[in-house]
Amino acid sequence: MVIRKSVNSPSLAWSWFGLFAILAILVQVNAGILQTVDQNAFQVIATLNTDSMTHFFTIVTTLASPLVTLLIALLVAVVLYWQHQRLVGLLVITTMVGGDGVAFICKELFKRSRPTQQLLADSGYSFPSGHVFGTVLLFSILLTLSHAYLKTWPLQLGLGVLGLGWIVIVMVARVYLRDHYATDTIGSVCLASGCWQLAQTWFWHWSSPVLAFLQRRQKQPLK
């Protein structure tokens, strides 16, 4: 199996969900500390404001869109299917689709308005960021799979550094373009991390019964 079992996944999942819940409550009550964090983030990132940076972050936003991350996850699932890792492939695609659904429901539930004066027009609600959510979830999946396919720690470390760097760039892009507050992107990191840990927990709980069921079906004679 290309995914290692971890006894810490349930605890990690609920820890991440707990952090997201705290942030969501602060969003709902429009807490002053969140306003301070978001305003300071806007002021710092505004120092980057140039036409070239706007063009760059627009490209980043396109590459990190939920559609693109979903297509990459689908490609990963297909590769896993052809490598006879069908349950893992199913886990990858269902986690991405289900996770995007959870993020959308959270947007509709909390109904946080987007920032004004957007540099790149976007619709819908602000909390959490769908772009950051999909990016973090996809990276978490790829990093977990890398332990099976990248045999040396320098390669695994390199992937981790590149992935974290890309996540930070996407987070900055969404704030720079004024499509999200900084706390929207932080909430996405917490929610996506919790979703992947929970998905792994469910996977290890159900994978053995599902495999046993499929094996029994294969042994049954054709009618």
Side-chain angles (χ1 to χ4, degrees):
M1 192 69 70
V2 298
I3 294 182
R4 298 176 182 176
K5 187 175 183 179
S6 173
V7 296
N8 296 321
S9 289
S11 299
L12 289 172
W14 294 115
S15 296
W16 283 114
F17 287 145
L19 292 174
F20 176 78
I22 292 171
L23 193 56
I25 292 172
L26 293 175
V27 167
Q28 285 296 93
V29 301
N30 199 24
I33 186 173
L34 259 64
Q35 296 181 36
T36 300
V37 170
D38 290 331
Q39 188 59 38
N40 289 338
F42 277 136
Q43 291 176 357
V44 171
I45 294 178
T47 61
L48 303 174
N49 195 353
T50 63
D51 290 341
S52 59
M53 291 302 291
T54 300
H55 180 66
F56 171 72
F57 284 130
T58 300
I59 294 175
V60 169
T61 290
T62 300
L63 295 176
S65 68
L67 177 60
V68 172
T69 53
L70 186 60
L71 289 175
I72 294 174
L74 179 60
L75 177 61
V76 172
V78 170
V79 171
L80 288 168
Y81 179 87
W82 288 111
Q83 291 185 341
H84 305 290
Q85 295 289 341
R86 297 175 182 177
L87 284 184
V88 179
L90 183 62
L91 170 68
V92 169
I93 194 62
T94 55
T95 301
M96 286 298 300
V97 173
D100 284 343
V102 169
F104 176 78
I105 290 172
C106 288
K107 283 177 177 286
E108 296 297 316
L109 179 63
F110 301 117
K111 296 184 183 298
R112 189 185 198 186
S113 299
R114 291 184 184 272
T116 57
Q117 301 177 336
Q118 295 179 1
L119 298 181
L120 180 66
D122 204 346
S123 59
Y125 294 112
S126 189
F127 181 82
S129 165
H131 286 69
V132 176
F133 177 89
T135 300
V136 173
L137 188 55
L138 179 63
F139 167 66
S140 299
I141 292 171
L142 294 178
L143 186 62
T144 302
L145 295 175
S146 73
H147 294 298
Y149 293 99
L150 301 180
K151 301 302 183 182
T152 62
W153 70 264
L155 289 176
Q156 296 175 5
L157 178 61
L159 176 63
V161 171
L162 288 174
L164 287 174
W166 177 245
I167 289 171
V168 172
I169 290 173
V170 174
M171 293 173 73
V172 172
R174 301 307 287 154
V175 178
Y176 174 93
L177 295 172
R178 299 189 67 86
D179 288 324
H180 284 286
Y181 299 99
T183 47
D184 296 335
T185 65
I186 296 171
S188 295
V189 172
C190 297
L191 184 61
S193 300
C195 284
W196 178 234
Q197 294 298 329
L198 185 61
Q200 291 179 86
T201 300
W202 285 348
F203 174 78
W204 282 109
H205 180 76
W206 291 105
S207 60
S208 295
V210 171
L211 281 173
F213 171 77
L214 293 176
Q215 289 172 355
R216 288 196 301 269
R217 289 294 300 270
Q218 290 177 350
K219 293 179 179 179
Q220 290 179 355
L222 295 176
K223 296 183 179 179

